[in-house]
Amino acid sequence: MATFTYQTVAAMQQPPVGALPSPGDVAIVAGYHVYDDDGGGTFRLEVPTGPYADRIDEGMVFDCVNSDTDTRIGVWRRIDQGPVRTAWYGIGNVRANGATTVTIPHAAAQIERAINAAGFGGVVVFSGTITLDRTVHIPTTTQLKGEGEGWDRPVIKAGENLKVMFTRASSTRIWVTGISFEGWIDGSAPLPDGISTSVNGYGARTIGFVLCNTTGRADLDSEFAFCRFYNMRMGIVGFGRNFLVTRTHFSSCRYGIVIHPAAKSTTNDVTIRGFNFIANRFHGCGGPRQQVDVVLTSSVTTQTTGLDAFEVGDIVVYRAGTAPTGLEDNMLYVVGADGVLYDRAAPDMYIIQDASEEESETDETPPPIDPQVITPEAWGATAQTIQKVNGGGLFDRSSTCIMVAGLSDALKGGLIADCYADDCRRFYHGPMGDMRITGVTGYRGYETLVETVPEGTPTASKAINGAITNCQWTCDLASPTTYRHGPTILIHGSGVQVSNNLIANSVEHGLYVRADDCQVTGNVVRRSGTAAAPFPGIRVTGTGCLIDGNLIDGYEGAPGLDLPSPTTSMVGTNRIAAYPAGTT
């Protein structure tokens, strides 16, 4: 057995004619593209039986050709130990001095090959910077792990016009740790006054991950930790239940995390439950504040449904006007193709085969994006009939840090805890069900930070165990009031517990409860509205609520606690104080 040394993988694939290896010989390669770029390794020459093509993956197995006769000598098989690395496939290679080297253009195919080589439950280690040319389809249960920490973690960027970065095969599990994902920003997007691209996700066109099953299962069973999502239309979109996101940073995303129900079927439990979003940070998410009324709302008129201002897959909240439209007030809906509105989303609203993928210049056909591309009707969504009448209300794109959309009566247990959100439009929008939001710090929010929706139709279910507790919510006084809207917490769904929160500097009410049978206890609400335009700190118009032990410091000219007269709610002892006139 002889040992050969080569500077690069290309040199190993076409060895000098005067020094041709034989089967069983070993090659030591210094780098994939250049010396010491982490893509080299140790290989053994083999002569496999059967066709060569299905064995060569340009990472673990390489061709070996006699350049003089253009005949195959065999295949080089990597014999390195340890987890599979993307650098072995020529992508994300980093030289020892930290400089990123030139990478091959077809990164998505190489990532898929690396995942296949790692096998079921295997680990793929990412390094450097990788730009995707198309969507990566994860074919099997796997772990995607970044090499490095903090700002040194690897970066995966979306190529131009890429809609979705990653999908996965049905019923597979993925664990993603220590990787940054950056979306593509449409620089041609119209920029109204004072807006630049990437502000709160404005101009973002990319979704990081779309997770769903088409095999009747609702369990996603996937985890994300120590990751970063930047400049995303949506960071993570999940259809189903049971997944974890922790210690992950979402920055300049229109939506951070979006949860939709799994497909309807006669055998599948379509409830949403078992999600845990813990110790994450959200910065500048939820759409640009300057666009709240200008672009992000559209009137329903006799000429249009008003949905032409939105993209397919956008989640909108309907605000009723002076005339009926057949839609439920304050309910979330999803925009489908051709301006059709649905009560829930389907995968094909997000997973779209791009023309750029179909015209790929790779030497292989890109794999199909699973049978996940399913129409809304096949997924169980119901198209909404909109009565096109004047005064029919508004559709507001409810971009937010965390959202649960569709079938609000089907939300069961979930936990959002110990997160931090600053300079965001909204933190949470969706039903409460049996979910708990606790320990969240919302700083410098500029619209309603938490809004719950009414119980869904046709069935109704109260949020018997839903709770918003022990959080601190502070709105952005520095923003012009034209950019700030609504109460800090707005409750439309009944049965919610809102307790032990600190709410300050709201543009309107600190807490507005429009639903029945809610518990409002132990909250501290300060400075609702302004001295010139004060608002009650807490307003409750629902029936059968318990209101006790709240501390409300407000401006003179507005009651601290606003209740209908007469009220059927139980009102205990609440301390209400007013700031002196002239206080700001």
Side-chain angles (χ1 to χ4, degrees):
M1 181 185 73
T3 300
F4 296 82
T5 59
Y6 301 101
Q7 189 85 352
T8 65
V9 163
M12 177 186 70
Q13 290 179 287
Q14 290 192 329
V17 174
L20 296 176
S22 301
D25 289 346
V26 172
I28 300 175
V29 184
Y32 198 103
H33 302 288
V34 296
Y35 175 81
D36 198 21
D37 69 356
D38 291 341
T42 306
F43 299 81
R44 179 178 287 112
L45 189 65
E46 300 177 354
V47 180
T49 59
Y52 280 82
D54 59 352
R55 291 169 168 78
I56 298 170
D57 69 354
E58 300 179 358
M60 298 296 290
V61 182
F62 293 87
D63 208 352
C64 183
V65 177
N66 183 329
S67 58
D68 189 34
T69 62
D70 199 27
T71 58
R72 286 189 173 90
I73 303 171
V75 296
W76 291 109
R77 186 176 301 278
R78 188 183 292 272
I79 57 176
D80 295 290
Q81 301 298 311
V84 175
R85 304 172 63 87
T86 57
W88 292 356
Y89 286 79
I91 52 176
N93 299 76
V94 179
R95 300 191 60 167
N97 63 6
T100 302
T101 67
V102 177
T103 60
I104 61 177
H106 310 305
Q110 292 300 89
I111 292 173
E112 291 163 354
R113 288 171 170 176
I115 294 170
N116 281 323
F120 182 87
V123 178
V124 177
V125 178
F126 288 72
S127 59
T129 299
I130 299 171
T131 299
L132 298 181
D133 54 309
R134 62 168 173 83
T135 299
V136 175
H137 178 61
I138 300 173
T140 186
T141 295
T142 191
Q143 301 178 54
L144 309 182
K145 183 178 180 180
E147 184 176 62
E149 298 179 355
W151 294 108
D152 292 329
R153 76 187 78 171
V155 179
I156 302 178
K157 297 183 177 181
E160 186 175 351
N161 289 314
L162 186 63
K163 303 299 188 300
V164 177
M165 298 179 74
F166 288 84
T167 66
R168 83 199 214 307
S170 290
S171 302
T172 60
R173 302 176 181 181
I174 61 172
W175 296 267
V176 185
T177 58
I179 302 175
S180 288
F181 301 92
E182 294 188 8
W184 179 73
I185 294 293
D186 183 2
S188 66
L191 302 178
D193 294 341
I195 298 292
S196 61
T197 53
S198 83
V199 172
N200 295 76
Y202 189 76
R205 295 291 181 264
T206 305
I207 299 174
F209 284 78
V210 177
L211 310 176
C212 64
N213 298 316
T214 58
T215 57
R217 289 173 53 88
D219 296 316
L220 298 175
D221 292 332
S222 297
E223 298 181 7
F224 295 81
F226 298 98
C227 293
R228 179 174 180 258
F229 291 85
Y230 177 60
N231 280 348
M232 292 285 180
R233 179 189 175 200
M234 300 177 182
I236 304 170
V237 178
F239 288 83
R241 64 192 185 204
N242 297 341
F243 79 102
L244 168 71
V245 182
T246 184
R247 297 184 181 272
T248 291
H249 183 189
F250 297 83
S251 180
S252 297
C253 300
R254 271 168 47 194
Y255 303 82
I257 306 170
V258 180
I259 308 299
H260 296 291
K264 282 184 181 179
S265 74
T266 57
T267 59
N268 183 34
D269 175 11
V270 298
T271 56
I272 306 171
R273 61 175 172 81
F275 57 81
N276 292 266
F277 307 142
I278 302 172
N280 301 293
R281 187 196 175 188
F282 301 85
H283 172 69
C285 295
R289 68 189 71 180
Q290 293 93 329
Q291 293 301 290
V292 172
D293 285 328
V294 178
V295 171
L296 302 187
T297 57
S298 300
S299 296
V300 178
T301 69
T302 54
Q303 288 79 34
T304 176
T305 62
L307 298 174
D308 53 333
F310 305 109
E311 297 180 57
V312 173
D314 275 347
I315 302 106
V316 297
V317 59
Y318 173 68
R319 308 295 191 192
T322 58
T325 60
L327 301 176
E328 185 170 352
D329 191 21
N330 300 305
M331 183 60 76
L332 291 171
Y333 296 96
V334 184
V335 179
D338 300 321
V340 178
L341 202 64
Y342 290 92
D343 63 346
R344 56 190 289 174
D348 81 333
M349 295 178 179
Y350 303 108
I351 306 174
I352 301 171
Q353 186 83 9
D354 292 333
S356 58
E357 296 176 18
E358 297 170 359
E359 299 170 1
S360 174
E361 297 178 358
T362 60
D363 56 0
E364 60 180 309
T365 302
I369 306 182
D370 205 28
Q372 291 188 93
V373 183
I374 297 178
T375 64
E377 289 75 14
W379 195 255
T382 302
Q384 305 297 298
T385 301
I386 305 174
Q387 302 171 19
K388 301 176 184 178
V389 292
N390 288 317
L394 298 173
F395 292 116
D396 184 1
R397 180 188 290 129
S398 183
S399 45
T400 184
C401 299
I402 300 173
M403 170 169 286
V404 176
L407 292 182
S408 63
D409 57 310
L411 175 64
K412 302 303 179 184
L415 176 64
I416 300 173
D418 300 328
C419 295
Y420 180 83
D422 63 322
D423 294 315
C424 295
R425 183 182 177 196
R426 288 186 178 94
F427 176 73
Y428 176 79
H429 197 164
M432 286 302 296
D434 298 336
M435 187 184 72
R436 181 172 294 271
I437 298 175
T438 186
V440 174
T441 298
Y443 175 64
R444 293 198 309 200
Y446 52 88
E447 200 174 320
T448 296
L449 289 176
V450 176
E451 180 173 354
T452 73
V453 298
E455 286 77 40
T457 54
T459 59
S461 175
K462 294 182 179 180
I464 298 174
N465 299 310
I468 304 167
T469 63
N470 300 295
C471 300
Q472 177 177 325
W473 309 100
T474 306
C475 290
D476 186 4
L477 283 177
S479 295
T481 56
T482 53
Y483 298 156
R484 300 167 58 225
H485 296 261
T488 299
I489 299 178
L490 179 57
I491 305 298
H492 296 294
S494 59
V496 179
Q497 175 190 356
V498 185
S499 299
N500 302 321
N501 297 280
L502 171 60
I503 307 169
N505 301 336
S506 304
V507 65
E508 296 179 10
H509 309 284
L511 170 60
Y512 186 0
V513 178
R514 301 182 61 180
D516 302 336
D517 304 322
C518 293
Q519 176 182 331
V520 180
T521 56
N523 299 288
V524 177
V525 183
R526 293 190 168 123
R527 296 182 298 275
S528 298
T530 63
F535 275 79
I538 297 176
R539 185 182 187 191
V540 179
T541 57
T543 62
C545 297
L546 171 62
I547 308 157
D548 188 29
N550 299 287
L551 170 61
I552 308 169
D553 292 337
Y555 296 106
E556 288 185 342
L561 179 62
D562 184 12
L563 301 171
S565 180
T567 180
T568 60
S569 293
M570 180 181 295
V571 182
T573 302
N574 299 277
R575 182 185 179 279
I576 301 173
Y579 290 103
T583 302
T584 60

